[in-house]
Amino acid sequence: MVLERLLGLFGRSSESFSTSAIEKDFDGPLIRMDEVSKVFGSGKVETPALQGVDLKVERGEFVAVNGPSGSGKSTLLSIAGLLETPTAGTYHLNGRDVMSLSTRERSSARNREVGFIFQSFNLIGDLTVAENVELPLSYQGLAADERRERVTAALERFDIASEDKKYPSQLSGGHQQRVAVARAVVGRPNVLLADEPTGNLNSTQAKAVIDMLVELNGEGATILLVTHDPRWQGVATRSVELLDGRLV
């Protein structure tokens, strides 16, 4: 399963990261997976992607999920972001048993709780930078003035305000990923899910993106980062490793 193929996802920065607009009554782990397994296919042709994964991510943590290709990292992130459902086990996001939610409720929870950052940026080519960043807000029923204010703040925050009328094809890879980060945080989600966000960047651009994530985490953002690059394991507050669909 390649997480970045699944678009239709957007979640909900101001000058400092804030989740104040989202309910925070639950004081337990923001992400809690118990014995989560995922099997693709059926019958004689089944491929286990995750096997009995137990994972807790506390509010404000920066957790790096490491492992080789095919270890189940993207499947784990897909489940965390409510794009996939486990074959077995339970998953609670911000205290809610997501397994019991309807399709509409899952979509609403994803839009409200989760921001996504992808390796391949997944910007919409025929939308400008500002329009791409605004896209998640269009699903939240915000007034036009508030949307513009949030977009302007996010573009300024990530030093891309001068690029607001450009299209993704007119930007470098590093600036495209800045736009993707701005889009991920503009809706003020409870958790940021980053799937190999530096995979298509050179070393200077990659460090800039990781520095942005570290800064956001320092302001209170909860981040789950999938990577197989050993350079970034040390920036997280905690690292876990997946191998053959199991945490080791």
Side-chain angles (χ1 to χ4, degrees), residues 3 22 38 41 46-47 49 53 84 95 121 162 214 216 219 243:
L3 176 63
I22 298 176
K38 180 65 178 180
E46 292 186 344
T47 303
V53 169
E84 292 282 353
F121 321 133
S162 63
V214 171
L216 288 166
E219 296 170 359
L243 184 63

Side-chain angles (χ1 to χ4, degrees), residues 31 54-58 60-67 71 73-74 76-77 191-198 210 213-214 217 221-243 247-248:
I31 289 175
D54 293 322
L55 177 66
K56 293 180 182 179
V57 178
E58 302 291 342
E61 271 198 298
F62 186 162
V63 178
V65 182
N66 310 297
S71 61
K73 301 187 304 296
S74 289
L76 179 69
L77 222 61
V191 61
L192 296 176
L193 304 180
D195 189 18
E196 302 281 6
T198 64
I210 293 298
L213 295 181
V214 171
N217 176 247
T222 305
I223 299 173
L224 190 60
L225 167 70
V226 156
T227 182
H228 62 262
D229 191 328
R231 291 177 298 172
W232 313 133
Q233 296 178 20
V235 305
T237 55
R238 179 163 62 95
S239 293
V240 298
E241 185 169 357
L242 268 176
L243 184 63
L247 287 177
V248 296

Side-chain angles (χ1 to χ4, degrees), residues 23-42:
E23 61 269 30
K24 294 176 63 175
D25 296 334
F26 181 69
D27 292 328
L30 186 56
I31 289 175
R32 177 175 174 176
M33 297 183 185
D34 295 298
E35 289 294 314
V36 164
S37 296
K38 180 65 178 180
V39 177
F40 291 103
S42 60

Side-chain angles (χ1 to χ4, degrees), residues 144-213:
D145 286 349
E146 183 174 356
R147 294 201 306 271
R148 283 193 294 269
E149 288 175 3
R150 287 201 191 184
V151 169
T152 298
L155 294 178
E156 291 175 350
R157 166 71 189 272
F158 297 108
D159 296 324
I160 47 176
S162 63
E163 318 277 15
D164 63 336
K165 293 181 174 58
K166 291 184 179 180
Y167 291 90
S169 61
Q170 298 174 297
L171 303 178
S172 68
H175 275 206
Q176 287 189 60
Q177 196 60 295
R178 285 176 179 266
V179 176
V181 174
R183 181 185 62 189
V185 304
V186 73
R188 301 173 184 169
N190 267 328
V191 61
L192 296 176
L193 304 180
D195 189 18
E196 302 281 6
T198 64
N200 287 344
L201 304 178
N202 64 38
S203 58
T204 300
Q205 294 169 338
K207 186 178 184 306
V209 169
I210 293 298
D211 286 346
M212 284 189 283
L213 295 181

